[in-house]
Amino acid sequence: LQLLYCAGWVHRDISEGNILAHRNDLKNSSTPWKAKLMDLEYARKFPPPDNYEAAVDPKTGTPYFMPTEILAMEYLYQPIEEVEIMGRSKYTANTNAPSRDIVIHNFQHDLESLWWLILYLIISHIKDQPIEDWQNSVFKDAVERCKNWAAPIFQNVIGLSAGRRFCFKYSLMKATESFIPENVAPVVNALEVNRRTLLRSFMVRVKDGNLRNIDSYAHIHLDFGELLEEIQALRVNWRQFSLKTSEKTSIVKKTLPTAAPAAVTATSAAAVALAPPGKVKAKREPDQNPNLEEQGRAGGSQAGGKKSRHGR
């Protein structure tokens, strides 16, 4: 993502299916893992031209990981101003604030998608953890509480739910402390610190009118890099976090380090799980291609244009 940022491109479709992890030597557990970001089908140059029409740009991606502002179709920062109505002061929305129909996917939105992905990887595997990873007071009904909390946050629809908005705007630690195992609590704490940084950066950038200023995204990239470094430093904790695999992935089971098997897991307490994430696309005309732009539209009929891999 930092390379894309330096090149002036936004990915716009960060998801678990678009990140590949590999080792040069699968037989050597000390060989470091490397991650590769793939699928640039919906990538765009940033900033877009001044006549860019975001309202006609179809929203596409995996809703589980889509940024808050893109799902809401409005910026998080919505200033208010004081006006006088019939001799009394009233507060109303600032008419100079960015309108709902011009939310443009920017560099920080890609980082937020990665933030949601890390949170999802933790939440979706709560059910696979051995009992001893919880304190007794936390384990009781932990999986059920996790499901009830996550269900309104991770949904396969393009639209911002109240639960997802609340999750990104308020304390993640307080919301999850009743069901997070001890071995990943430090990772969730790191996500919480970064959430505050992301939220503040979103607000300040719009307030200061720097949405199109590429330099204004440099610090948040550095901050997110520090988050990943902190998570890596906590690997002694999270490497004990069990990732359940199917029989079809036996090669992975043989090569990946996993936690020692336990007789009882959280699944036996409550057999519940999140639905898998799915890609959702807004309706697009047959001749539109998301890789080609003309006044904010993707026109597959342009000279030199080519169809996407979906034939659209």
Side-chain angles (χ1 to χ4, degrees):
L1 284 178
Q2 287 184 349
L3 289 176
L4 280 175
Y5 168 59
C6 292
W9 284 75
V10 288
H11 188 280
R12 303 203 314 154
D13 191 16
I14 303 295
S15 69
E16 90 294 357
N18 287 339
I19 298 177
L20 300 179
H22 72 95
R23 269 177 170 164
N24 292 332
D25 185 358
L26 291 176
K27 296 181 180 180
N28 185 356
S29 61
S30 64
T31 303
W33 285 94
K34 294 182 180 180
K36 299 292 184 181
L37 184 62
M38 58 175 285
D39 198 349
L40 301 178
E41 181 180 2
Y42 295 102
R44 286 192 189 279
K45 288 283 290 182
F46 186 90
D50 292 337
N51 59 356
Y52 177 80
E53 300 176 45
V56 300
D57 182 17
K59 298 296 181 291
T60 184
T62 308
Y64 274 32
F65 316 117
M66 289 177 72
T68 305
E69 292 181 335
I70 299 299
L71 287 175
M73 295 180 62
E74 65 179 3
Y75 292 104
L76 287 165
Y77 179 75
Q78 293 294 323
I80 59 175
E81 60 182 355
E82 186 176 3
V83 296
E84 187 173 303
I85 301 177
M86 298 181 65
R88 299 183 61 183
S89 294
K90 299 285 185 179
Y91 289 93
T92 183
N94 188 336
T95 56
N96 294 323
S99 64
R100 291 174 58 89
D101 60 350
I102 59 172
V103 177
I104 300 172
H105 196 114
N106 58 51
F107 301 111
Q108 187 171 333
H109 288 143
D110 281 346
L111 296 177
E112 185 192 337
S113 291
L114 189 53
W115 186 92
W116 286 111
L117 175 57
I118 297 172
L119 178 61
Y120 169 76
L121 290 175
I122 295 173
I123 296 302
S124 61
H125 289 286
I126 290 294
K127 65 184 185 345
D128 302 323
Q129 305 314 305
I131 286 180
E132 55 265 28
D133 288 343
W134 279 277
Q135 297 176 353
N136 290 336
S137 59
V138 175
F139 173 72
K140 185 179 180 181
D141 301 325
V143 178
E144 188 66 33
R145 286 196 297 270
C146 176
K147 178 192 174 185
N148 292 337
W149 176 79
I153 295 173
F154 294 101
Q155 299 181 338
N156 284 319
V157 294
I158 295 183
L160 185 66
S161 67
R164 191 176 180 95
R165 181 187 293 271
F166 191 92
C167 176
F168 193 66
K169 293 188 69 174
Y170 300 100
S171 174
L172 182 64
M173 286 297 294
K174 290 183 179 179
T176 60
E177 62 185 1
S178 67
F179 56 79
I180 288 295
E182 290 181 311
N183 54 1
V184 291
V187 178
V188 176
N189 183 63
L191 284 176
E192 164 59 16
V193 173
N194 188 255
R195 179 198 65 79
R196 298 178 203 165
T197 303
L198 287 170
L199 182 60
R200 182 173 62 253
S201 184
F202 275 129
M203 305 283 273
V204 171
R205 187 176 297 106
V206 175
K207 180 181 178 181
D208 294 345
N210 283 326
L211 279 172
R212 291 173 174 267
N213 181 355
I214 295 179
D215 293 343
S216 71
Y217 297 89
H219 283 294
I220 195 62
H221 260 283
L222 291 175
D223 288 335
F224 207 91
E226 291 176 358
L227 165 66
L228 298 180
E229 290 176 356
E230 183 175 355
I231 292 177
Q232 178 67 10
L234 294 169
R235 61 185 179 275
V236 174
N237 299 71
W238 56 255
R239 284 186 70 166
Q240 300 306 312
F241 194 68
S242 179
L243 300 180
K244 191 174 182 180
T245 56
S246 67
E247 293 302 321
K248 294 181 180 180
T249 57
S250 58
I251 186 172
V252 178
K253 292 173 68 177
K254 292 179 181 178
T255 57
L256 290 180
T258 57
V264 183
T265 68
T267 309
S268 58
V272 293
L274 283 174
K279 183 164 290 190
V280 176
K281 298 179 182 178
K283 185 177 180 181
R284 183 185 296 120
E285 296 302 321
D287 63 342
Q288 288 183 323
N289 185 321
N291 287 315
L292 303 174
E293 293 182 358
E294 182 179 9
Q295 295 183 356
R297 289 184 179 272
S301 59
Q302 293 180 10
K306 63 179 181 179
K307 291 184 179 180
S308 72
R309 66 179 182 182
H310 299 293
R312 295 180 177 177

